[in-house]
Amino acid sequence: MTSQVSSPAEQADGTDETVVGAQRKPVGAKDVRRLDRVIIRFAGDSGDGMQLTGDRFTSETASFGNDLSTLPNFPAEIRAPAGTLPGVSSFQLHFADHDILTPGDAPNVLVAMNPAALKANVGDLPRGAEIIVNTDEFTRRAMQKVGYDTSPLEDGSLDGYRLHPVPLTTLTVEALTEFDLSRKEAERSKNMFALGLLSWMYHRPTEGTEKFLKSKFAKKPDIAAANIAAFRAGWNFGETTEDFAVSYEVAPAGSAFEPGTYRNISGNLALAYGLIAASRQADLPLFLGSYPITPASDILHELSKHKNFGVRTFQAEDEIAGIGAALGAAFGGSLAVTTTSGPGVALKSETIGLAVSLELPLLVVDIQRGGPSTGLPTKTEQADLLQAMYGRNGEAPVPVVAPRTPGDCFDAALEAARIALTYRTPVFLLSDGYLANGSEPWRIPEPDELPDLAVQFAQGPNHTLDDGTEVFWPYQRDPHTLARPWAVPGTPGLEHRIGGIEKQDGTGNISYDPANHDFMVRTRQAKIDGIEVPALDVDDPDGRARTLVLGWGSTYGPITAAVRRIRKEGGRIAQAHLRHLNPFPPNLGEILDRYDKVVVPEMNLGQLATLIRAKYLVDARSHNQVNGMPFKAEQLAAVLKEAIDG
């Protein structure tokens, strides 16, 4: 869903009316309060449709013009045990009338569809938060299943919150009596009833959701009509019940966005679009060789829809076959990509080393998750950095690029493609589950804003022998980039040998010569070291900070939010965030030398800090978290303040 955003000066002043769909109408007798931001968490069984509910609320919020950030959180099992704590699925949305950076630390509103959802999430709520519970699910058996000896709705344990007991299931079934549905089928629409209620509470548009339901269930019009009826019933319940005496307005965040056309986008979707844009800018067909793995599979699903852009997707039988096919496509002249997560990178490592030896462009997209081994498939982590840097036999250097927000995944894909195509090398793109599944408003770029990635294939001989014969040398290097020529198979006169055995410089013939091997190893390293990357920007408003917080990847939002809190309280702290992790930006060493203290927050046990200490001999202080969740800004602010004062 897209929306046009004008400049702040062009926007109209607010009124005392609320927006409902495309219509404007007086709110009526109920009190309306204006808020600058809200954090809502939908929680229930993994079969209750919480991800769909959150996604729809997010889409309508994006179309309304709020800034937003989301945090989906769900079990790894396809259908986790119903009514249990491990089976709880949640979706958190933070939306505001100003620029925000994270999904929020603590929800203002919790929608709990059952006792397990309440127990799993109530500990995250601040006192005074609103809790909307589906009372129909609070049976003795359901409560005992999660350890409630007495009903939390009656024993006073929730007295510190504003509790709204709502029989969601009963109300949904009653609203759908006119439809020829069984009770079980009708109950499935209770998430739409909850969505309608929350849409009323926060004055969200409704037309988009109704259009979505008609499209989703186009082949089952009765089901579509039932879901729409449940959605409208939830809205009407909020409008008429005395329990909800207040609704809330969060104005559009016009000043947070530069003018343009925006849409809500997740990290994986932005990455897929970035890969397509890169292939068009390079005028190369895009080939994806992949094996499904959480949380990277959405990229395969999305790219498979775009054959009209010259995209070919190959779902291989395993990870090794996926990257093998991708490397073959690179040899054949395609922009080649393989997508995976940490366990898949381990399996692909030999072929990545082969790509280093062949010196062919290949994008290795790693959507990181909790490990080791199978680990936490649906939880986030940043623990693959050292694997990307060193997880291959021999000296096999590979550039590493990391996006910092869901929307930035688009730009990171273009940058990874630029490096791969220019320097003829595999490139790692390190996203993670938090970015992949999270979403934010994203300005759709104009075509003339995209980089030119045009590639010049080898067309003929490039070397003259001593006897005057002109020949093609597959390892004759560009003096500026050290990249070898890219010769498409079938080009007359450019036949050459490829393989994993060491090549002779220039000719590409097999060579066991010690001096040649030493030269080739050092040349491949020099090629990576010489990659041109932008200088690192430092956010240090008055230049007087003595502490620098250095991050990479998805920690950007929490770090920036924490830095803002510290500065608002009068503290001085500088911030820098790395996109290029190999090679590092050319001015990183000089930046690190400016500050007395360097703090590196990471969702691992200190991998970037290890690299920084080793390369720059800086006493970088690690702050680490490996609980499968992103940092909370408040906790991070406390850590950084302690570093400043300590």
Side-chain angles (χ1 to χ4, degrees), residues 70-74 103 294-295 341 366-371 374-384 430-438 552-555 558 602-604 625-631:
T70 68
L71 178 62
N73 187 16
F74 44 87
T294 302
S341 191
D366 177 6
I367 312 298
Q368 301 165 95
R369 71 190 206 188
T374 305
L376 303 174
T378 60
K379 310 302 180 183
T380 195
E381 206 162 271
Q382 288 183 297
D384 294 352
L430 293 183
S431 178
D432 61 40
Y434 172 38
L435 295 184
N437 296 316
W552 69 278
S554 66
T555 57
E602 299 180 78
M603 292 186 293
N604 56 45
Q625 175 176 300
V626 283
N627 61 6
M629 298 294 287
F631 285 110

Side-chain angles (χ1 to χ4, degrees), residues 271 275 286-291 293 296 299-300 303 314 316 318-327 335-341 344-345 348-349 351-352 361-367 426-429:
L271 207 157
L275 294 173
L286 177 64
F287 181 90
L288 174 67
S290 182
Y291 180 76
I293 183 171
I299 302 172
L300 170 62
L303 289 179
F314 171 57
D318 55 41
E319 297 280 4
I320 298 171
I323 190 173
L327 185 56
L335 176 60
V337 184
T338 189
T339 52
T340 190
S341 191
V345 173
K348 295 177 188 291
S349 61
T351 308
I352 297 171
L362 174 68
L363 303 188
V364 181
V365 177
D366 177 6
I367 312 298
V427 177
F428 262 102
L429 196 161

Side-chain angles (χ1 to χ4, degrees), residues 342-422:
V345 173
L347 294 168
K348 295 177 188 291
S349 61
E350 182 180 3
T351 308
I352 297 171
L354 176 59
V356 171
S357 177
L358 298 183
E359 301 190 45
L360 287 171
L362 174 68
L363 303 188
V364 181
V365 177
D366 177 6
I367 312 298
Q368 301 165 95
R369 71 190 206 188
S373 187
T374 305
L376 303 174
T378 60
K379 310 302 180 183
T380 195
E381 206 162 271
Q382 288 183 297
D384 294 352
L385 176 56
L386 293 183
Q387 182 183 31
M389 288 286 292
Y390 302 120
R392 293 162 296 282
N393 64 294
E395 296 287 345
V398 174
V400 181
V401 174
R404 63 186 188 179
T405 68
D408 189 48
C409 290
F410 178 89
D411 296 312
L414 285 163
E415 175 64 0
R418 176 192 72 87
I419 293 172
L421 295 172
T422 302

Side-chain angles (χ1 to χ4, degrees), residues 2-258:
T2 61
S3 60
Q4 292 286 339
V5 177
S6 60
S7 65
E10 295 171 327
Q11 293 185 16
D13 293 334
T15 68
D16 293 331
E17 297 177 325
T18 182
V19 179
V20 182
Q23 311 247 337
R24 296 183 68 82
K25 69 175 185 179
V27 173
K30 290 198 175 185
D31 186 22
V32 179
R33 297 178 188 171
R34 179 163 294 227
L35 303 175
D36 63 348
R37 67 186 185 96
V38 175
I39 303 169
I40 297 174
R41 183 180 297 175
F42 298 92
D45 270 335
S46 57
D48 282 340
M50 294 297 93
Q51 302 305 316
L52 175 62
T53 305
D55 184 68
R56 288 314 314 158
F57 196 93
T58 298
S59 295
E60 298 297 3
T61 296
S63 70
F64 188 71
N66 296 119
D67 195 11
L68 62 89
S69 180
T70 68
L71 178 62
N73 187 16
F74 44 87
E77 292 81 7
I78 294 174
R79 185 63 176 94
T84 66
L85 294 176
V88 173
S89 173
S90 68
F91 188 104
Q92 183 164 307
L93 165 68
H94 182 192
F95 62 102
D97 65 2
H98 57 277
D99 176 34
I100 58 173
L101 298 155
T102 74
D105 290 353
N108 308 116
V109 182
L110 171 65
V111 179
M113 304 297 280
N114 60 21
L118 177 64
K119 187 162 190 176
N121 292 281
V122 70
D124 292 337
L125 301 180
R127 289 293 172 175
E130 293 192 76
I131 303 177
I132 301 171
V133 294
N134 179 14
T135 56
D136 289 326
E137 295 297 321
F138 279 72
T139 63
R140 179 182 296 273
R141 181 181 179 186
M143 289 187 289
Q144 289 178 343
K145 189 181 289 189
V146 295
Y148 281 128
D149 295 325
T150 60
S151 172
L153 309 183
E154 301 171 354
D155 63 9
S157 60
L158 301 178
D159 286 350
Y161 308 100
R162 288 178 287 169
L163 181 64
H164 300 280
V166 180
L168 286 172
T169 305
T170 299
L171 291 171
T172 302
V173 172
E174 290 177 354
L176 303 183
T177 53
E178 65 181 274
F179 297 92
D180 186 21
L181 299 174
S182 67
R183 180 178 178 85
K184 186 175 182 180
E185 289 174 327
E187 287 179 359
R188 290 175 182 164
S189 297
K190 62 182 181 288
N191 63 324
M192 288 297 105
F193 188 100
L195 178 59
L197 174 57
L198 269 293
S199 297
W200 172 83
M201 284 182 65
Y202 293 98
H203 299 176
R204 298 296 92 185
T206 61
E207 287 187 343
T209 293
E210 294 193 9
K211 183 178 179 181
F212 166 82
L213 291 171
K214 290 176 182 177
S215 174
K216 180 177 177 63
F217 298 107
K219 296 182 179 179
K220 298 179 179 179
D222 290 345
I223 300 297
N227 276 280
I228 292 171
F231 177 64
R232 291 175 176 173
W235 176 283
N236 292 331
F237 178 77
E239 183 83 354
T240 57
T241 184
E242 295 181 1
D243 191 41
F244 292 90
V246 179
S247 64
Y248 304 93
E249 283 187 345
V250 181
S255 60
F257 305 116
E258 59 179 299

